[in-house]
Amino acid sequence: MKEIKILCVYDGYITKDIMSGMKELEKFGAHITMINDDQIKNVGDVTNRMLLLEQKGIAEAPTCRTLLENCSDKEILVVHCTSVNKEILEACSKLQAVVVLRGGIENVDSSELAKRQIPLMNASLRSADAVSDAAVGMMIAENKNIARSHHYMKEGRWVKSYINQRYIRNMNKCTVGLIGYGAIGSRVAKKLKGFESQILVYDPFVSKEQIEKDGVKVVELDQLLETSDFVSVHLRLSDKTKKFMGKREFAQMKKTAYFINTARAGLVDTEALTDALKNREIGGAAIDVFDQEPLPKGHPYLNLENVTLTSHLAGTSSDTPVVSVEIGVQKLKDYLTRMAEEDNEED
Protein backbone atom coordinates (compact mmCIF):
# COMPACT_ATOMS: atom_id res chain seq x y z
CA MET A 1 0.00 0.00 0.00
CA LYS A 2 1.35 3.41 -0.99
CA GLU A 3 2.30 5.63 1.96
CA ILE A 4 0.41 8.90 2.20
CA LYS A 5 1.66 11.81 4.29
CA ILE A 6 -0.89 13.33 6.67
CA LEU A 7 -0.15 16.47 8.70
CA CYS A 8 -2.36 16.91 11.79
CA VAL A 9 -2.52 20.27 13.56
CA TYR A 10 -3.60 20.05 17.21
CA ASP A 11 -4.36 22.95 19.56
CA GLY A 12 -5.54 23.75 23.08
CA TYR A 13 -8.96 22.19 22.45
CA ILE A 14 -8.18 19.17 20.31
CA THR A 15 -4.98 18.38 22.17
CA LYS A 16 -2.02 16.28 21.12
CA ASP A 17 -3.29 13.27 23.08
CA ILE A 18 -6.72 13.46 21.44
CA MET A 19 -5.28 14.10 17.96
CA SER A 20 -3.14 10.98 18.44
CA GLY A 21 -6.27 9.03 17.56
CA MET A 22 -5.35 9.82 13.96
CA LYS A 23 -2.50 7.31 14.25
CA GLU A 24 -5.08 4.60 13.69
CA LEU A 25 -4.76 5.57 10.01
CA GLU A 26 -1.23 4.16 9.94
CA LYS A 27 -2.90 0.77 9.36
CA PHE A 28 -4.11 2.21 6.06
CA GLY A 29 -0.67 3.28 4.88
CA ALA A 30 -0.64 6.78 6.37
CA HIS A 31 2.43 8.49 7.79
CA ILE A 32 1.18 10.81 10.54
CA THR A 33 3.00 14.02 11.52
CA MET A 34 1.57 16.16 14.32
CA ILE A 35 2.28 19.82 15.02
CA ASN A 36 0.85 22.42 17.42
CA ASP A 37 -0.98 25.65 16.60
CA ASP A 38 0.15 27.66 19.63
CA GLN A 39 -2.14 30.58 18.67
CA ILE A 40 -5.13 28.51 19.88
CA LYS A 41 -4.41 27.66 23.49
CA ASN A 42 -7.89 27.13 24.98
CA VAL A 43 -11.65 27.13 24.37
CA GLY A 44 -11.73 30.94 24.53
CA ASP A 45 -9.22 31.16 21.69
CA VAL A 46 -11.41 28.77 19.68
CA THR A 47 -14.57 30.88 20.10
CA ASN A 48 -12.62 34.08 19.37
CA ARG A 49 -11.26 32.57 16.16
CA MET A 50 -14.69 31.34 15.11
CA LEU A 51 -16.18 34.79 15.67
CA LEU A 52 -13.37 36.41 13.67
CA LEU A 53 -13.94 33.99 10.79
CA GLU A 54 -17.70 34.54 10.91
CA GLN A 55 -17.48 38.33 10.88
CA LYS A 56 -14.39 39.03 8.77
CA GLY A 57 -13.68 35.88 6.77
CA ILE A 58 -10.70 33.61 6.18
CA ALA A 59 -8.53 36.41 4.76
CA GLU A 60 -8.41 38.10 8.19
CA ALA A 61 -7.45 35.00 10.19
CA PRO A 62 -3.73 34.54 10.95
CA THR A 63 -1.59 31.91 9.27
CA CYS A 64 -0.09 29.26 11.52
CA ARG A 65 3.63 29.56 10.74
CA THR A 66 4.36 26.02 11.94
CA LEU A 67 1.80 24.68 9.49
CA LEU A 68 3.28 26.78 6.68
CA GLU A 69 6.77 25.47 7.44
CA ASN A 70 5.71 21.80 7.48
CA CYS A 71 3.06 21.41 4.78
CA SER A 72 4.97 21.43 1.49
CA ASP A 73 5.29 17.64 1.09
CA LYS A 74 2.02 16.64 2.78
CA GLU A 75 -0.89 15.11 0.90
CA ILE A 76 -3.61 15.52 3.53
CA LEU A 77 -4.06 18.29 6.10
CA VAL A 78 -6.12 17.72 9.26
CA VAL A 79 -6.94 20.87 11.25
CA HIS A 80 -9.36 22.06 13.90
CA CYS A 81 -9.67 25.88 13.85
CA THR A 82 -6.29 26.53 12.23
CA SER A 83 -6.54 28.48 8.97
CA VAL A 84 -6.07 26.70 5.68
CA ASN A 85 -5.88 29.89 3.63
CA LYS A 86 -4.52 30.71 0.20
CA GLU A 87 -0.99 31.12 1.60
CA ILE A 88 -1.09 27.59 3.01
CA LEU A 89 -2.61 26.12 -0.13
CA GLU A 90 0.03 27.71 -2.33
CA ALA A 91 2.68 26.03 -0.19
CA CYS A 92 1.07 22.57 -0.54
CA SER A 93 2.15 21.32 -3.94
CA LYS A 94 1.09 17.72 -3.23
CA LEU A 95 -2.18 18.33 -1.41
CA GLN A 96 -4.96 15.80 -2.10
CA ALA A 97 -7.51 16.50 0.66
CA VAL A 98 -8.29 18.70 3.68
CA VAL A 99 -10.13 17.59 6.82
CA VAL A 100 -11.61 20.09 9.31
CA LEU A 101 -12.45 18.63 12.71
CA ARG A 102 -15.43 20.91 13.33
CA GLY A 103 -18.91 21.45 11.94
CA GLY A 104 -18.15 24.69 10.12
CA ILE A 105 -15.61 25.14 7.34
CA GLU A 106 -15.06 28.90 7.67
CA ASN A 107 -11.37 28.40 8.53
CA VAL A 108 -10.71 26.96 5.06
CA ASP A 109 -10.57 28.87 1.78
CA SER A 110 -13.16 26.56 0.23
CA SER A 111 -13.39 28.49 -3.04
CA GLU A 112 -9.64 28.12 -3.56
CA LEU A 113 -9.89 24.42 -2.75
CA ALA A 114 -12.67 24.04 -5.30
CA LYS A 115 -10.53 25.72 -7.98
CA ARG A 116 -7.82 23.16 -7.26
CA GLN A 117 -10.40 20.33 -7.19
CA ILE A 118 -9.24 19.28 -3.73
CA PRO A 119 -11.92 17.58 -1.59
CA LEU A 120 -12.86 19.07 1.78
CA MET A 121 -14.21 16.91 4.61
CA ASN A 122 -15.49 18.10 7.97
CA ALA A 123 -16.87 16.72 11.25
CA SER A 124 -20.36 18.05 10.61
CA LEU A 125 -21.99 16.05 13.41
CA ARG A 126 -19.40 16.62 16.12
CA SER A 127 -21.39 19.12 18.22
CA ALA A 128 -24.86 18.03 17.17
CA ASP A 129 -25.70 16.28 20.43
CA ALA A 130 -24.11 18.95 22.63
CA VAL A 131 -25.88 21.85 20.89
CA SER A 132 -29.24 20.09 20.66
CA ASP A 133 -29.06 19.26 24.38
CA ALA A 134 -28.33 22.93 25.08
CA ALA A 135 -31.16 24.18 22.85
CA VAL A 136 -33.74 22.10 24.73
CA GLY A 137 -32.19 23.17 28.05
CA MET A 138 -32.37 26.84 27.05
CA MET A 139 -36.06 26.48 26.23
CA ILE A 140 -36.80 25.05 29.66
CA ALA A 141 -34.51 27.48 31.50
CA GLU A 142 -36.17 30.55 29.97
CA ASN A 143 -39.71 29.24 30.31
CA LYS A 144 -39.25 28.01 33.92
CA ASN A 145 -37.04 30.93 35.07
CA ILE A 146 -34.28 28.57 36.20
CA ALA A 147 -31.36 30.96 35.69
CA ARG A 148 -33.27 33.96 37.03
CA SER A 149 -34.32 32.13 40.19
CA HIS A 150 -30.78 30.91 40.77
CA HIS A 151 -29.47 34.46 40.38
CA TYR A 152 -32.03 35.89 42.81
CA MET A 153 -31.37 33.20 45.41
CA LYS A 154 -27.64 33.99 45.27
CA GLU A 155 -28.68 37.54 46.16
CA GLY A 156 -30.75 36.26 49.08
CA ARG A 157 -34.09 36.85 47.34
CA TRP A 158 -36.91 34.27 47.33
CA VAL A 159 -38.79 35.26 44.16
CA LYS A 160 -41.99 33.41 43.27
CA SER A 161 -43.48 35.65 40.57
CA TYR A 162 -41.78 36.43 37.24
CA ILE A 163 -42.39 38.57 34.18
CA ASN A 164 -43.65 35.53 32.25
CA GLN A 165 -45.86 34.26 35.09
CA ARG A 166 -49.06 34.08 33.02
CA TYR A 167 -47.46 32.10 30.18
CA ILE A 168 -45.14 29.64 31.92
CA ARG A 169 -46.13 26.47 30.06
CA ASN A 170 -45.78 22.72 30.26
CA MET A 171 -43.69 21.49 27.32
CA ASN A 172 -46.37 18.95 26.34
CA LYS A 173 -48.77 21.85 25.80
CA CYS A 174 -46.31 23.81 23.63
CA THR A 175 -45.64 24.04 19.91
CA VAL A 176 -41.94 24.31 19.07
CA GLY A 177 -40.95 25.77 15.71
CA LEU A 178 -37.55 24.71 14.37
CA ILE A 179 -35.99 26.85 11.65
CA GLY A 180 -33.45 24.49 10.12
CA TYR A 181 -33.55 20.70 10.18
CA GLY A 182 -29.98 19.56 9.73
CA ALA A 183 -27.93 17.50 12.16
CA ILE A 184 -28.80 19.74 15.12
CA GLY A 185 -32.39 20.70 14.34
CA SER A 186 -33.39 17.08 13.73
CA ARG A 187 -31.87 16.05 17.07
CA VAL A 188 -33.74 18.84 18.86
CA ALA A 189 -36.96 17.47 17.36
CA LYS A 190 -36.13 13.93 18.49
CA LYS A 191 -35.43 15.09 22.06
CA LEU A 192 -38.58 17.23 22.22
CA LYS A 193 -40.71 14.23 21.29
CA GLY A 194 -39.92 12.91 24.76
CA PHE A 195 -41.64 16.02 26.14
CA GLU A 196 -44.63 15.41 23.85
CA SER A 197 -44.30 18.86 22.28
CA GLN A 198 -45.86 19.54 18.90
CA ILE A 199 -43.04 20.23 16.43
CA LEU A 200 -43.17 22.41 13.33
CA VAL A 201 -40.27 22.69 10.90
CA TYR A 202 -39.25 25.20 8.25
CA ASP A 203 -36.14 24.46 6.21
CA PRO A 204 -35.86 25.66 2.60
CA PHE A 205 -32.75 23.51 2.10
CA VAL A 206 -34.16 20.09 3.10
CA SER A 207 -36.96 18.28 1.25
CA LYS A 208 -40.39 18.01 2.83
CA GLU A 209 -40.36 14.24 2.37
CA GLN A 210 -37.08 13.85 4.22
CA ILE A 211 -38.30 15.90 7.18
CA GLU A 212 -41.74 14.32 7.44
CA LYS A 213 -40.20 10.84 7.66
CA ASP A 214 -39.38 11.79 11.27
CA GLY A 215 -43.03 12.40 12.08
CA VAL A 216 -42.83 16.20 12.32
CA LYS A 217 -44.89 18.76 10.41
CA VAL A 218 -43.39 20.94 7.67
CA VAL A 219 -44.86 24.44 7.39
CA GLU A 220 -44.07 27.77 5.77
CA LEU A 221 -42.04 30.25 7.82
CA ASP A 222 -44.98 32.62 8.45
CA GLN A 223 -47.10 29.82 9.91
CA LEU A 224 -44.25 28.65 12.12
CA LEU A 225 -43.64 32.12 13.51
CA GLU A 226 -47.33 32.84 14.10
CA THR A 227 -48.18 29.58 15.89
CA SER A 228 -45.05 28.48 17.82
CA ASP A 229 -44.55 28.93 21.56
CA PHE A 230 -40.79 28.50 21.02
CA VAL A 231 -38.88 29.46 17.86
CA SER A 232 -35.42 27.89 17.73
CA VAL A 233 -33.04 28.66 14.86
CA HIS A 234 -30.64 26.00 13.52
CA LEU A 235 -29.47 27.31 10.15
CA ARG A 236 -25.90 27.55 8.91
CA LEU A 237 -24.76 31.16 8.51
CA SER A 238 -24.39 32.24 4.87
CA ASP A 239 -25.15 35.23 2.66
CA LYS A 240 -28.69 33.84 2.30
CA THR A 241 -29.30 33.41 6.03
CA LYS A 242 -27.56 36.49 7.45
CA LYS A 243 -30.01 38.38 9.71
CA PHE A 244 -32.63 35.76 8.84
CA MET A 245 -34.52 36.76 11.99
CA GLY A 246 -35.28 40.47 11.86
CA LYS A 247 -37.96 43.01 12.74
CA ARG A 248 -40.57 41.45 10.45
CA GLU A 249 -40.03 37.95 11.81
CA PHE A 250 -40.15 38.96 15.49
CA ALA A 251 -43.33 40.96 14.82
CA GLN A 252 -44.98 37.78 13.53
CA MET A 253 -44.23 35.76 16.68
CA LYS A 254 -46.72 35.39 19.53
CA LYS A 255 -46.33 37.95 22.29
CA THR A 256 -45.85 35.00 24.66
CA ALA A 257 -43.35 33.10 22.48
CA TYR A 258 -39.67 32.53 23.26
CA PHE A 259 -36.84 32.86 20.74
CA ILE A 260 -33.84 30.50 21.11
CA ASN A 261 -30.46 30.94 19.39
CA THR A 262 -27.72 28.38 19.95
CA ALA A 263 -26.54 28.59 16.32
CA ARG A 264 -24.82 31.75 15.06
CA ALA A 265 -25.19 35.38 16.13
CA GLY A 266 -25.19 36.55 12.50
CA LEU A 267 -28.52 34.79 11.86
CA VAL A 268 -30.23 37.45 13.98
CA ASP A 269 -30.64 41.21 13.73
CA THR A 270 -29.55 41.99 17.30
CA GLU A 271 -31.17 45.42 17.37
CA ALA A 272 -34.50 43.98 16.20
CA LEU A 273 -34.38 41.24 18.85
CA THR A 274 -33.47 43.75 21.57
CA ASP A 275 -36.42 45.95 20.59
CA ALA A 276 -38.79 42.96 20.49
CA LEU A 277 -37.76 41.94 24.01
CA LYS A 278 -37.73 45.47 25.42
CA ASN A 279 -41.17 46.27 23.98
CA ARG A 280 -42.57 42.87 25.01
CA GLU A 281 -43.38 42.01 21.40
CA ILE A 282 -42.23 38.48 22.25
CA GLY A 283 -42.26 36.69 25.57
CA GLY A 284 -38.55 36.12 26.01
CA ALA A 285 -35.35 34.74 24.55
CA ALA A 286 -32.44 32.45 25.37
CA ILE A 287 -29.21 33.33 23.60
CA ASP A 288 -25.82 31.61 23.51
CA VAL A 289 -24.08 33.49 20.66
CA PHE A 290 -23.39 37.20 20.24
CA ASP A 291 -22.12 39.68 17.67
CA GLN A 292 -19.37 40.65 20.10
CA GLU A 293 -17.83 38.15 22.50
CA PRO A 294 -17.36 38.45 25.40
CA LEU A 295 -20.60 40.38 25.71
CA PRO A 296 -19.51 43.96 26.52
CA LYS A 297 -20.55 45.85 29.63
CA GLY A 298 -23.63 47.95 29.00
CA HIS A 299 -25.01 45.68 26.28
CA PRO A 300 -28.82 46.09 26.19
CA TYR A 301 -29.38 42.35 26.76
CA LEU A 302 -27.92 42.76 30.25
CA ASN A 303 -30.72 45.09 31.33
CA LEU A 304 -33.60 42.89 30.19
CA GLU A 305 -35.69 40.73 32.51
CA ASN A 306 -36.96 38.39 29.79
CA VAL A 307 -33.73 36.86 28.48
CA THR A 308 -31.46 33.98 29.49
CA LEU A 309 -27.82 34.37 28.43
CA THR A 310 -24.98 31.86 28.27
CA SER A 311 -21.39 32.53 27.21
CA HIS A 312 -21.23 30.57 23.93
CA LEU A 313 -21.44 27.25 25.77
CA ALA A 314 -23.90 25.23 23.68
CA GLY A 315 -21.27 23.20 21.84
CA THR A 316 -19.09 22.72 24.91
CA SER A 317 -18.72 19.09 25.96
CA SER A 318 -15.76 17.00 27.04
CA ASP A 319 -16.98 14.47 24.46
CA THR A 320 -16.75 16.85 21.48
CA PRO A 321 -12.96 16.82 20.81
CA VAL A 322 -12.83 13.02 20.92
CA VAL A 323 -15.91 12.70 18.71
CA SER A 324 -14.34 15.18 16.26
CA VAL A 325 -11.26 13.00 15.81
CA GLU A 326 -13.34 9.82 15.59
CA ILE A 327 -15.38 11.35 12.75
CA GLY A 328 -12.21 12.56 11.00
CA VAL A 329 -10.59 9.12 11.29
CA GLN A 330 -13.64 7.40 9.82
CA LYS A 331 -13.86 9.84 6.90
CA LEU A 332 -10.18 9.39 6.13
CA LYS A 333 -10.47 5.59 6.40
CA ASP A 334 -13.19 5.74 3.76
CA TYR A 335 -11.12 8.11 1.63
CA LEU A 336 -7.94 6.02 1.85
CA THR A 337 -9.86 2.83 1.12
CA ARG A 338 -11.32 4.39 -2.03
CA MET A 339 -7.89 5.59 -3.11
CA ALA A 340 -6.43 2.12 -2.61
CA GLU A 341 -9.24 0.54 -4.63
CA GLU A 342 -8.72 2.99 -7.47
CA ASP A 343 -4.97 2.28 -7.46
CA ASN A 344 -5.68 -1.46 -7.67
CA GLU A 345 -8.02 -0.95 -10.58
CA GLU A 346 -5.35 1.00 -12.45
CA ASP A 347 -2.82 -1.76 -11.82
Side-chain angles (χ1 to χ4, degrees), residues 71-74 77 87-95 116 118:
C71 67
S72 61
D73 63 337
K74 303 304 187 293
L77 298 182
E87 184 179 14
I88 295 293
L89 293 174
E90 287 176 348
C92 295
S93 59
K94 298 184 178 181
L95 192 62
R116 298 164 189 258
I118 296 172

Side-chain angles (χ1 to χ4, degrees), residues 75-324:
E75 292 149 298
I76 296 176
L77 298 182
V78 179
V79 300
H80 176 224
C81 281
T82 301
S83 298
V84 181
N85 54 23
K86 190 172 182 181
E87 184 179 14
I88 295 293
L89 293 174
E90 287 176 348
C92 295
S93 59
K94 298 184 178 181
L95 192 62
Q96 296 180 14
V98 174
V99 179
V100 180
L101 299 178
R102 50 185 295 264
I105 55 172
E106 296 89 350
N107 55 312
V108 177
D109 190 333
S110 53
S111 61
E112 192 65 30
L113 271 186
K115 287 179 191 175
R116 298 164 189 258
Q117 297 184 314
I118 296 172
L120 172 61
M121 295 167 264
N122 69 318
S124 56
L125 301 180
R126 76 162 191 164
S127 296
D129 282 309
V131 177
S132 57
D133 286 352
V136 174
M138 295 280 268
M139 293 176 194
I140 296 169
E142 174 60 20
N143 176 42
K144 301 290 285 185
N145 299 296
I146 293 172
R148 278 186 282 275
S149 182
H150 173 82
H151 176 73
Y152 290 146
M153 289 184 71
K154 287 277 193 174
E155 294 181 336
R157 300 167 62 189
W158 186 262
V159 179
K160 295 291 290 181
S161 182
Y162 293 87
I163 193 172
N164 63 339
Q165 198 67 33
R166 68 181 178 83
Y167 53 92
I168 297 172
R169 305 286 305 282
N170 296 338
M171 292 300 291
N172 67 344
K173 299 293 185 182
C174 289
T175 297
V176 179
L178 303 177
I179 300 176
Y181 200 75
I184 295 171
S186 59
R187 279 170 167 78
V188 172
K190 183 178 181 180
K191 290 166 185 178
L192 286 169
K193 285 183 179 180
F195 291 93
E196 300 179 355
S197 303
Q198 181 181 349
I199 302 161
L200 305 179
V201 174
Y202 170 76
D203 191 328
F205 308 107
V206 181
S207 72
K208 181 179 179 181
E209 293 73 23
Q210 184 178 339
I211 297 171
E212 289 185 336
K213 281 192 301 184
D214 292 343
V216 299
K217 187 176 180 181
V218 177
V219 296
E220 291 301 318
L221 179 61
D222 288 354
Q223 183 181 345
L224 183 150
L225 294 171
E226 290 164 4
T227 59
S228 296
D229 299 297
F230 295 86
V231 174
S232 189
V233 62
H234 301 284
L235 296 171
R236 186 172 294 283
L237 182 62
S238 69
D239 290 340
K240 291 182 179 179
T241 61
K242 191 172 183 181
K243 294 192 177 181
F244 190 90
M245 292 294 297
K247 184 176 181 179
R248 173 187 174 276
E249 288 71 30
F250 291 121
Q252 287 182 283
M253 288 173 59
K254 291 182 178 181
K255 289 188 178 296
T256 56
Y258 302 103
F259 175 71
I260 314 296
N261 188 11
T262 55
R264 289 287 183 264
L267 295 168
V268 180
D269 183 329
T270 299
E271 184 177 349
L273 176 56
T274 301
D275 289 342
L277 291 167
K278 188 184 297 183
N279 299 327
R280 309 287 167 80
E281 293 171 10
I282 64 174
I287 309 166
D288 183 60
V289 287
F290 308 94
D291 293 328
Q292 185 178 346
E293 297 180 1
L295 198 64
K297 290 182 180 179
H299 192 285
Y301 285 163
L302 299 174
N303 296 316
L304 296 171
E305 294 181 80
N306 53 348
V307 63
T308 297
L309 307 173
T310 54
S311 53
H312 204 147
L313 298 176
T316 302
S317 167
S318 60
D319 299 318
T320 300
V322 175
V323 170
S324 302

Side-chain angles (χ1 to χ4, degrees), residues 7-20 33-40 64 78-82 101:
L7 180 60
C8 301
V9 187
Y10 60 90
D11 56 35
Y13 186 66
I14 295 186
T15 63
K16 184 176 182 180
D17 286 346
I18 295 171
M19 188 68 85
S20 293
T33 301
M34 297 201 305
I35 60 172
N36 181 35
D37 184 346
D38 59 8
Q39 296 173 323
I40 302 174
C64 174
V78 179
V79 300
H80 176 224
C81 281
T82 301
L101 299 178

